[in-house]
mmCIF file with all atom_site columns, all heavy atoms in Angstrom:
data_model
loop_
_atom_site.group_PDB
_atom_site.id
_atom_site.type_symbol
_atom_site.label_atom_id
_atom_site.label_alt_id
_atom_site.label_comp_id
_atom_site.label_asym_id
_atom_site.label_entity_id
_atom_site.label_seq_id
_atom_site.pdbx_PDB_ins_code
_atom_site.Cartn_x
_atom_site.Cartn_y
_atom_site.Cartn_z
_atom_site.occupancy
_atom_site.B_iso_or_equiv
_atom_site.pdbx_formal_charge
_atom_site.auth_seq_id
_atom_site.auth_comp_id
_atom_site.auth_asym_id
_atom_site.auth_atom_id
_atom_site.pdbx_PDB_model_num
ATOM 1   N N   . GLU T 1 105 ? 34.920 4.762  82.811 1.00 98.00 ? 105 GLU T N   1
ATOM 2   C CA  . GLU T 1 105 ? 33.553 4.922  83.113 1.00 98.00 ? 105 GLU T CA  1
ATOM 3   C C   . GLU T 1 105 ? 32.936 6.089  82.314 1.00 98.00 ? 105 GLU T C   1
ATOM 4   O O   . GLU T 1 105 ? 31.742 6.128  82.125 1.00 98.00 ? 105 GLU T O   1
ATOM 5   C CB  . GLU T 1 105 ? 33.469 5.385  84.601 1.00 98.00 ? 105 GLU T CB  1
ATOM 6   C CG  . GLU T 1 105 ? 33.802 4.338  85.555 1.00 98.00 ? 105 GLU T CG  1
ATOM 7   C CD  . GLU T 1 105 ? 35.243 4.295  86.036 1.00 98.00 ? 105 GLU T CD  1
ATOM 8   O OE1 . GLU T 1 105 ? 36.154 4.675  85.205 1.00 98.00 ? 105 GLU T OE1 1
ATOM 9   O OE2 . GLU T 1 105 ? 35.481 3.887  87.193 1.00 98.00 ? 105 GLU T OE2 1
ATOM 10  N N   . ARG T 1 106 ? 33.731 7.106  81.822 1.00 97.00 ? 106 ARG T N   1
ATOM 11  C CA  . ARG T 1 106 ? 33.261 8.196  80.998 1.00 97.00 ? 106 ARG T CA  1
ATOM 12  C C   . ARG T 1 106 ? 34.253 8.514  79.977 1.00 97.00 ? 106 ARG T C   1
ATOM 13  O O   . ARG T 1 106 ? 34.975 9.497  80.296 1.00 97.00 ? 106 ARG T O   1
ATOM 14  C CB  . ARG T 1 106 ? 32.880 9.353  81.912 1.00 97.00 ? 106 ARG T CB  1
ATOM 15  C CG  . ARG T 1 106 ? 33.551 9.525  83.233 1.00 97.00 ? 106 ARG T CG  1
ATOM 16  C CD  . ARG T 1 106 ? 33.027 10.773 83.965 1.00 97.00 ? 106 ARG T CD  1
ATOM 17  N NE  . ARG T 1 106 ? 32.800 10.526 85.358 1.00 97.00 ? 106 ARG T NE  1
ATOM 18  C CZ  . ARG T 1 106 ? 33.436 10.995 86.303 1.00 97.00 ? 106 ARG T CZ  1
ATOM 19  N NH1 . ARG T 1 106 ? 34.468 11.818 86.085 1.00 97.00 ? 106 ARG T NH1 1
ATOM 20  N NH2 . ARG T 1 106 ? 33.149 10.686 87.604 1.00 97.00 ? 106 ARG T NH2 1
ATOM 21  N N   . LEU T 1 107 ? 34.278 7.848  78.918 1.00 98.00 ? 107 LEU T N   1
ATOM 22  C CA  . LEU T 1 107 ? 35.266 8.051  77.911 1.00 98.00 ? 107 LEU T CA  1
ATOM 23  C C   . LEU T 1 107 ? 35.125 9.368  77.139 1.00 98.00 ? 107 LEU T C   1
ATOM 24  O O   . LEU T 1 107 ? 33.976 9.667  76.768 1.00 98.00 ? 107 LEU T O   1
ATOM 25  C CB  . LEU T 1 107 ? 35.273 6.875  76.882 1.00 98.00 ? 107 LEU T CB  1
ATOM 26  C CG  . LEU T 1 107 ? 35.653 5.486  77.478 1.00 98.00 ? 107 LEU T CG  1
ATOM 27  C CD1 . LEU T 1 107 ? 35.526 4.415  76.362 1.00 98.00 ? 107 LEU T CD1 1
ATOM 28  C CD2 . LEU T 1 107 ? 37.188 5.605  77.874 1.00 98.00 ? 107 LEU T CD2 1
ATOM 29  N N   . PRO T 1 108 ? 36.209 10.127 77.044 1.00 98.00 ? 108 PRO T N   1
ATOM 30  C CA  . PRO T 1 108 ? 36.115 11.467 76.448 1.00 98.00 ? 108 PRO T CA  1
ATOM 31  C C   . PRO T 1 108 ? 36.300 11.281 74.888 1.00 98.00 ? 108 PRO T C   1
ATOM 32  O O   . PRO T 1 108 ? 37.098 12.035 74.313 1.00 98.00 ? 108 PRO T O   1
ATOM 33  C CB  . PRO T 1 108 ? 37.337 12.090 77.061 1.00 98.00 ? 108 PRO T CB  1
ATOM 34  C CG  . PRO T 1 108 ? 38.401 11.108 77.276 1.00 98.00 ? 108 PRO T CG  1
ATOM 35  C CD  . PRO T 1 108 ? 37.503 9.785  77.543 1.00 98.00 ? 108 PRO T CD  1
ATOM 36  N N   . PHE T 1 109 ? 35.407 10.483 74.273 1.00 98.00 ? 109 PHE T N   1
ATOM 37  C CA  . PHE T 1 109 ? 35.462 10.245 72.823 1.00 98.00 ? 109 PHE T CA  1
ATOM 38  C C   . PHE T 1 109 ? 34.094 10.275 72.271 1.00 98.00 ? 109 PHE T C   1
ATOM 39  O O   . PHE T 1 109 ? 33.178 9.799  72.960 1.00 98.00 ? 109 PHE T O   1
ATOM 40  C CB  . PHE T 1 109 ? 36.219 9.001  72.399 1.00 98.00 ? 109 PHE T CB  1
ATOM 41  C CG  . PHE T 1 109 ? 37.629 8.910  72.914 1.00 98.00 ? 109 PHE T CG  1
ATOM 42  C CD1 . PHE T 1 109 ? 37.835 8.022  74.123 1.00 98.00 ? 109 PHE T CD1 1
ATOM 43  C CD2 . PHE T 1 109 ? 38.645 9.692  72.609 1.00 98.00 ? 109 PHE T CD2 1
ATOM 44  C CE1 . PHE T 1 109 ? 39.038 7.877  74.655 1.00 98.00 ? 109 PHE T CE1 1
ATOM 45  C CE2 . PHE T 1 109 ? 39.920 9.534  73.184 1.00 98.00 ? 109 PHE T CE2 1
ATOM 46  C CZ  . PHE T 1 109 ? 40.048 8.625  74.227 1.00 98.00 ? 109 PHE T CZ  1
ATOM 47  N N   . ALA T 1 110 ? 33.995 10.673 71.001 1.00 98.00 ? 110 ALA T N   1
ATOM 48  C CA  . ALA T 1 110 ? 32.642 10.695 70.329 1.00 98.00 ? 110 ALA T CA  1
ATOM 49  C C   . ALA T 1 110 ? 32.242 9.283  70.012 1.00 98.00 ? 110 ALA T C   1
ATOM 50  O O   . ALA T 1 110 ? 33.064 8.358  69.969 1.00 98.00 ? 110 ALA T O   1
ATOM 51  C CB  . ALA T 1 110 ? 32.675 11.494 69.098 1.00 98.00 ? 110 ALA T CB  1
ATOM 52  N N   . ALA T 1 111 ? 30.972 9.060  69.802 1.00 98.00 ? 111 ALA T N   1
ATOM 53  C CA  . ALA T 1 111 ? 30.459 7.719  69.367 1.00 98.00 ? 111 ALA T CA  1
ATOM 54  C C   . ALA T 1 111 ? 31.113 7.409  68.114 1.00 98.00 ? 111 ALA T C   1
ATOM 55  O O   . ALA T 1 111 ? 31.495 8.255  67.294 1.00 98.00 ? 111 ALA T O   1
ATOM 56  C CB  . ALA T 1 111 ? 28.946 7.796  69.160 1.00 98.00 ? 111 ALA T CB  1
ATOM 57  N N   . ASP T 1 112 ? 31.210 6.071  67.801 1.00 98.00 ? 112 ASP T N   1
ATOM 58  C CA  . ASP T 1 112 ? 31.740 5.576  66.536 1.00 98.00 ? 112 ASP T CA  1
ATOM 59  C C   . ASP T 1 112 ? 33.184 5.946  66.218 1.00 98.00 ? 112 ASP T C   1
ATOM 60  O O   . ASP T 1 112 ? 33.383 6.225  65.025 1.00 98.00 ? 112 ASP T O   1
ATOM 61  C CB  . ASP T 1 112 ? 30.705 5.984  65.451 1.00 98.00 ? 112 ASP T CB  1
ATOM 62  C CG  . ASP T 1 112 ? 29.327 5.640  65.622 1.00 98.00 ? 112 ASP T CG  1
ATOM 63  O OD1 . ASP T 1 112 ? 29.084 4.519  66.266 1.00 98.00 ? 112 ASP T OD1 1
ATOM 64  O OD2 . ASP T 1 112 ? 28.411 6.347  65.207 1.00 98.00 ? 112 ASP T OD2 1
ATOM 65  N N   . SER T 1 113 ? 34.005 6.151  67.257 1.00 98.00 ? 113 SER T N   1
ATOM 66  C CA  . SER T 1 113 ? 35.327 6.606  66.918 1.00 98.00 ? 113 SER T CA  1
ATOM 67  C C   . SER T 1 113 ? 36.383 5.536  66.629 1.00 98.00 ? 113 SER T C   1
ATOM 68  O O   . SER T 1 113 ? 37.427 5.894  66.175 1.00 98.00 ? 113 SER T O   1
ATOM 69  C CB  . SER T 1 113 ? 35.868 7.427  68.105 1.00 98.00 ? 113 SER T CB  1
ATOM 70  O OG  . SER T 1 113 ? 35.086 8.602  68.278 1.00 98.00 ? 113 SER T OG  1
ATOM 71  N N   . PHE T 1 114 ? 36.034 4.318  67.019 1.00 98.00 ? 114 PHE T N   1
ATOM 72  C CA  . PHE T 1 114 ? 37.084 3.251  67.017 1.00 98.00 ? 114 PHE T CA  1
ATOM 73  C C   . PHE T 1 114 ? 36.632 2.020  66.282 1.00 98.00 ? 114 PHE T C   1
ATOM 74  O O   . PHE T 1 114 ? 35.404 1.609  66.306 1.00 98.00 ? 114 PHE T O   1
ATOM 75  C CB  . PHE T 1 114 ? 37.613 2.835  68.401 1.00 98.00 ? 114 PHE T CB  1
ATOM 76  C CG  . PHE T 1 114 ? 38.240 4.116  69.068 1.00 98.00 ? 114 PHE T CG  1
ATOM 77  C CD1 . PHE T 1 114 ? 37.591 4.848  69.961 1.00 98.00 ? 114 PHE T CD1 1
ATOM 78  C CD2 . PHE T 1 114 ? 39.634 4.438  68.738 1.00 98.00 ? 114 PHE T CD2 1
ATOM 79  C CE1 . PHE T 1 114 ? 38.085 5.966  70.598 1.00 98.00 ? 114 PHE T CE1 1
ATOM 80  C CE2 . PHE T 1 114 ? 40.137 5.523  69.447 1.00 98.00 ? 114 PHE T CE2 1
ATOM 81  C CZ  . PHE T 1 114 ? 39.428 6.383  70.303 1.00 98.00 ? 114 PHE T CZ  1
ATOM 82  N N   . ASP T 1 115 ? 37.652 1.269  65.653 1.00 98.00 ? 115 ASP T N   1
ATOM 83  C CA  . ASP T 1 115 ? 37.281 -0.031 65.082 1.00 98.00 ? 115 ASP T CA  1
ATOM 84  C C   . ASP T 1 115 ? 37.598 -1.138 66.035 1.00 98.00 ? 115 ASP T C   1
ATOM 85  O O   . ASP T 1 115 ? 37.044 -2.290 65.867 1.00 98.00 ? 115 ASP T O   1
ATOM 86  C CB  . ASP T 1 115 ? 38.279 -0.246 63.910 1.00 98.00 ? 115 ASP T CB  1
ATOM 87  C CG  . ASP T 1 115 ? 38.234 0.826  62.853 1.00 98.00 ? 115 ASP T CG  1
ATOM 88  O OD1 . ASP T 1 115 ? 37.059 1.054  62.358 1.00 98.00 ? 115 ASP T OD1 1
ATOM 89  O OD2 . ASP T 1 115 ? 39.184 1.449  62.521 1.00 98.00 ? 115 ASP T OD2 1
ATOM 90  N N   . LEU T 1 116 ? 38.436 -0.858 67.057 1.00 98.00 ? 116 LEU T N   1
ATOM 91  C CA  . LEU T 1 116 ? 38.757 -1.911 68.056 1.00 98.00 ? 116 LEU T CA  1
ATOM 92  C C   . LEU T 1 116 ? 38.957 -1.191 69.390 1.00 98.00 ? 116 LEU T C   1
ATOM 93  O O   . LEU T 1 116 ? 39.759 -0.205 69.492 1.00 98.00 ? 116 LEU T O   1
ATOM 94  C CB  . LEU T 1 116 ? 40.038 -2.663 67.601 1.00 98.00 ? 116 LEU T CB  1
ATOM 95  C CG  . LEU T 1 116 ? 40.745 -3.551 68.677 1.00 98.00 ? 116 LEU T CG  1
ATOM 96  C CD1 . LEU T 1 116 ? 39.809 -4.745 68.973 1.00 98.00 ? 116 LEU T CD1 1
ATOM 97  C CD2 . LEU T 1 116 ? 42.121 -3.915 68.183 1.00 98.00 ? 116 LEU T CD2 1
ATOM 98  N N   . VAL T 1 117 ? 38.366 -1.655 70.407 1.00 99.00 ? 117 VAL T N   1
ATOM 99  C CA  . VAL T 1 117 ? 38.590 -1.278 71.793 1.00 99.00 ? 117 VAL T CA  1
ATOM 100 C C   . VAL T 1 117 ? 39.107 -2.542 72.533 1.00 99.00 ? 117 VAL T C   1
ATOM 101 O O   . VAL T 1 117 ? 38.509 -3.615 72.380 1.00 99.00 ? 117 VAL T O   1
ATOM 102 C CB  . VAL T 1 117 ? 37.463 -0.665 72.485 1.00 99.00 ? 117 VAL T CB  1
ATOM 103 C CG1 . VAL T 1 117 ? 37.723 -0.260 73.975 1.00 99.00 ? 117 VAL T CG1 1
ATOM 104 C CG2 . VAL T 1 117 ? 36.905 0.470  71.708 1.00 99.00 ? 117 VAL T CG2 1
#
Side-chain angles (χ1 to χ4, degrees):
E105 292 90 330
R106 24 180 137 108
L107 289 175
F109 307 107
D112 306 324
S113 296
F114 296 99
D115 304 304
L116 170 68
V117 176

